């Protein structure tokens, strides 16, 4: 196993934890909270889950994704110009753009939750989740080099 295999592993593991966490909260925790908890307890629990997930994102996910992503791109010789090239470059550019949109949606979700705008918060949560799955899809579409 090479150093670069470890870097790729950390990149994929971090992405899996991020997207898996979003899916778990959306498909398992939220439905159970809605059916088992009264409105006040549900709100407190979901706020705590969201806060912890947000802290995990800022402290672990983002630094690992950014650090390993930049390292992998450097290792593969990616340049700004190569992001416009067909194949690997364009798919990577799309993945990066979608990743930025996901981070913006996640940030807006956190803001809307704190500002008491539940409809907008939910829309941004769904947007971030769908976008995150799209990032994974684009990652799997990257040609092997």
């Amino acid at each position: 196993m090479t150093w670069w295999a470890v870097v790729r592993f950390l990149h994929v593991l971090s992405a899996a934890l991020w997207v898996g966490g979003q899916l778990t909260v959306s498909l398992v925790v939220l439905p159970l909270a809605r059916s088992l908890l009264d409105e006040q307890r549900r709100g407190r629990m979901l706020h705590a889950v969201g806060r912890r997930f947000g802290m995990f994102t800022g402290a672990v996910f983002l630094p690992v994704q950014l650090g390993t992503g930049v390292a992998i791109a450097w290792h593969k010789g990616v340049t700004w110009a190569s992001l416009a090239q067909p194949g690997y470059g364009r798919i990577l550019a799309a993945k990066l753009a979608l990743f930025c949109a996901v981070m913006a949606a996640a940030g807006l979700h956190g803001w809307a939750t704190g500002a008491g705008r539940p409809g907008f918060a939910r829309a941004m949560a769904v947007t971030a989740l769908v976008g995150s799955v799209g990032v994974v899809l684009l990652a799997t579409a990257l040609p092997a080099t």
Side-chain angles (χ1 to χ4, degrees):
M1 182 171 298
T2 68
W3 165 251
W4 292 108
V6 172
V7 171
R8 275 192 317 276
F9 170 77
L10 291 174
H11 192 74
V12 171
L13 178 63
S14 179
L17 290 172
W18 165 251
V19 178
Q22 287 179 310
L23 289 168
T24 300
V25 169
S26 297
L27 301 175
V28 177
V29 175
L30 283 173
L32 286 174
R34 286 186 183 123
S35 67
L36 297 175
L37 301 174
D38 62 66
E39 190 174 334
Q40 183 182 13
R41 287 182 182 171
R42 180 175 61 236
R44 285 196 342 250
M45 196 229 13
L46 294 176
H47 179 75
V49 167
R51 189 167 184 82
R52 177 167 261 180
F53 197 70
M55 288 185 341
F56 166 81
T57 297
V60 178
F61 169 71
L62 278 176
V64 171
Q65 286 302 113
L66 294 174
T68 57
V70 167
I72 292 166
W74 174 81
H75 180 67
K76 290 190 170 287
V78 173
T79 63
W80 290 110
S82 70
L83 293 175
Q85 298 299 313
Y88 191 92
R90 287 188 188 160
I91 294 170
L92 180 59
K95 178 186 169 207
L96 293 172
L98 188 54
F99 176 79
C100 290
V102 165
M103 291 296 101
L108 287 170
H109 167 72
W111 169 81
T113 300
R117 301 191 53 184
F120 186 64
R122 184 176 182 148
M124 289 301 98
V126 170
T127 299
L129 176 60
V130 170
S132 294
V133 172
V135 170
V136 173
L137 176 65
L138 289 168
T140 61
L142 284 169
T145 56

